[in-house]
Amino acid sequence: MPKESSRFAKIRNVFPSTSRAESLRVTEILRKETVGGILLVALAAIALLWANSPWADSYFALRDFELGYEPWHLRLSVGAWAADGLLAIFFFLVGLELKREFVAGDLRKFSTAVVPITAAVGGVIVPALIYVTVVAGSADASRGWAIPTATDIAFAVAVLALIGSHLPSALRIFLLTLAVVDDLIAIGIIAIFYTETINALPLILSLVVIAVYGLIAQRYRDFFHLRPTAAWLILLPIGMVAWALLHASGIHATIAGVLLGFTIPVLHKKANRGVDAGPGLAEIFEHRFRPLSAGIAVPLFAFFSAGVAIGGGEGFVSAFADPVVIGIVLALVVGKPLGIALATWAITRVRRINLDPSLRWIDIIGVGLLAGIGFTVSLLVAELSFTAGSEHHDHAKVAILTASVVAALLASALLSMRNRRYRMDADVTSDAETTTR
């Protein structure tokens, strides 16, 4: 094995040599998210085409059709059911992933997590500042400040999986960790800034039900591990009650998904831990429910949220007269990579905190561009920021779709070049090893 160059000899890596198990886990996640990302884009495109076709009225009639039980505050439109209900499944997966990272993954060690956490914070603050600066003077428009702070983890990792066959494992883990932390920040923003009134009784009852859910999952983790149907028959009904109560409390119901995910145990009971113990319940649930989230929940949410009447080319161009559109596009396409790169640079000025030697700054910029794909969570925040049917509401969606496409294209172009470079380096190394033999 060749010696490490003197340039890196004294570096204490923020991302130490990645274990084979961790690399395989990340690769598997990327592989699964690729299919979900393709479905996400396909249904969003269908919705956009349908909403701008001669049959647009039928799309909006379907999206706005109401059903549910009014006394429980559950008479919602189909679009609202997708945003509040189906997306809770996605956030449940986010909760599982977050807990796994904090308990057994990269976020359990400060030295490992500090760079992507700092990068995620920078990728939230800078876009928000850019947006607020662009829309300065409009109190109504400023409500959308959080729209460009989000990263669509499914979309971003799908793009990376499609183009990043030879990119370093450290870069993939950096993106995944950054996106997970970004989701955590987005969850906090939704819970704190987009909750107008709170009804105490439903909130307390919801927390009690979530606690019961967690106690059952913790106490009978082996039972749910061995019997896949048990979670559907026992935990799912309890989770639905918790979701309904949190929805009635005034807090966005997707937060219930995160809280429920946090209660699922990551590790086996102490008596059962060992080399051959296998994955914990959180990882098992993630494996079981990810197809439901990536294949149904998120694409359907995108289908009912992405459909906006643009008004043809003229309408698209005129939308850019709205500062909301300019603010979102600039914040996602420019603010995200700028914030992530600046925050990463700042934290690596601290002694003993450095990037992995396999990474270059241009790779970090590429990840920053990928993080500019807001899409799912940005669309959700747009729904919460502006009244449905208002000019800002529709324009924000146009901006999110535009910025996400531009960010994806720019990231693909840059990271594809980097992928070719890493592949060439790998081929040279392989040839050298063959010659040595």
Side-chain angles (χ1 to χ4, degrees):
M1 184 176 179
K3 279 189 175 182
E4 190 180 35
S5 67
S6 59
R7 179 183 176 188
F8 300 120
K10 296 182 180 181
I11 288 182
R12 176 184 177 182
N13 297 335
V14 169
F15 290 99
S17 298
T18 308
S19 68
R20 179 171 177 78
E22 184 70 4
S23 295
L24 290 174
R25 188 184 74 84
V26 173
T27 301
E28 183 65 18
I29 289 174
L30 292 173
R31 187 180 296 116
K32 290 177 182 177
E33 294 290 4
T34 303
V35 178
I38 293 171
L39 283 172
L40 177 71
V41 173
L43 285 186
I46 291 171
L48 195 59
L49 291 172
W50 191 356
N52 289 277
S53 73
W55 306 279
D57 288 344
S58 61
Y59 170 81
F60 293 114
L62 174 62
R63 187 195 66 184
D64 298 334
F65 179 77
E66 293 187 351
L67 67 160
Y69 190 54
E70 179 60 37
W72 291 356
H73 306 285
L74 292 177
R75 185 166 182 81
L76 308 172
S77 67
V78 173
W81 275 110
D84 291 3
L86 287 178
L87 213 56
I89 301 172
F90 166 77
F91 278 101
F92 176 74
L93 268 293
V94 170
L96 290 176
E97 182 66 24
L98 279 170
K99 185 170 182 181
R100 188 195 179 285
E101 290 296 329
F102 280 120
V103 173
D106 292 321
L107 295 181
R108 74 186 187 279
K109 295 182 180 178
F110 177 79
S111 60
T112 307
V114 63
V115 170
I117 289 176
T118 304
V121 173
V124 168
I125 293 174
V126 173
L129 290 176
I130 289 176
Y131 178 87
V132 170
T133 301
V134 171
V135 303
S138 173
D140 187 38
S142 64
R143 282 183 52 82
W145 66 271
I147 293 173
T149 63
T151 295
D152 189 314
I153 186 171
F155 205 155
V157 298
V159 172
L160 186 65
L162 289 171
I163 63 173
S165 58
H166 288 77
L167 293 175
S169 294
L171 187 66
R172 300 176 181 219
I173 293 172
F174 183 93
L175 172 63
L176 192 63
T177 306
L178 182 148
V180 166
V181 175
D182 190 286
D183 280 339
L184 180 60
I185 296 172
I187 290 162
I189 289 173
I190 291 170
I192 296 170
F193 295 99
Y194 290 93
T195 299
E196 296 180 358
T197 59
I198 296 178
N199 297 318
L201 182 58
L203 176 60
I204 294 171
L205 291 175
S206 176
L207 294 176
V208 170
V209 174
I210 290 171
V212 171
Y213 178 99
L215 287 172
I216 294 174
Q218 295 279 345
R219 177 67 178 82
Y220 300 101
R221 66 186 75 181
D222 294 336
F223 175 74
F224 292 115
H225 188 288
L226 297 173
R227 294 171 174 79
T229 57
W232 296 97
L233 298 175
I234 300 172
L235 293 180
L236 179 60
I238 299 173
M240 291 176 67
V241 172
W243 174 89
L245 287 168
L246 197 66
H247 182 275
S249 75
I251 296 176
H252 199 268
T254 53
I255 304 299
V258 181
L259 297 177
L260 291 169
F262 278 158
T263 68
I264 303 299
V266 172
L267 304 175
H268 291 279
K269 294 179 180 178
K270 289 184 179 181
N272 298 330
R273 292 176 194 173
V275 179
D276 300 325
L281 189 60
E283 193 171 345
I284 291 293
F285 275 15
E286 188 180 345
H287 177 75
R288 290 176 186 170
F289 301 134
R290 188 175 292 278
L292 179 61
S293 172
I296 299 176
V298 175
L300 281 178
F301 165 76
F303 175 76
F304 287 111
S305 292
V308 56
I310 297 175
E314 184 179 342
F316 179 79
V317 173
S318 65
F320 279 80
D322 187 348
V324 166
V325 176
I326 299 172
I328 291 174
V329 172
L330 284 178
L332 283 173
V333 178
V334 178
K336 270 290 185 180
L338 181 62
I340 288 169
L342 284 177
T344 303
W345 178 85
I347 193 64
T348 53
R349 298 308 94 190
V350 178
R351 187 183 178 190
R352 296 182 180 275
I353 296 179
N354 301 276
L355 287 175
D356 188 287
S358 66
L359 300 182
R360 299 293 181 269
W361 284 103
I362 193 168
D363 299 327
I364 301 302
I365 293 172
V367 167
L369 286 168
L370 274 180
I373 304 174
F375 216 77
T376 303
V377 183
S378 289
L379 287 171
L380 174 61
V381 178
E383 295 276 0
L384 300 173
S385 300
F386 304 120
T387 305
S390 68
E391 188 178 61
H392 287 332
H393 179 270
D394 291 344
H395 286 173
K397 291 187 175 183
V398 171
I400 293 165
L401 296 174
T402 302
S404 295
V405 170
V406 172
L409 292 175
L410 291 175
S412 297
L414 178 58
L415 292 176
S416 291
M417 290 191 295
R418 296 300 297 160
N419 191 63
R420 285 195 295 272
R421 177 60 184 270
Y422 284 115
R423 183 174 59 202
M424 291 170 59
D425 291 346
D427 291 341
V428 170
T429 301
S430 179
D431 291 342
E433 290 177 350
T434 302
T435 303
T436 302
R437 290 172 190 162

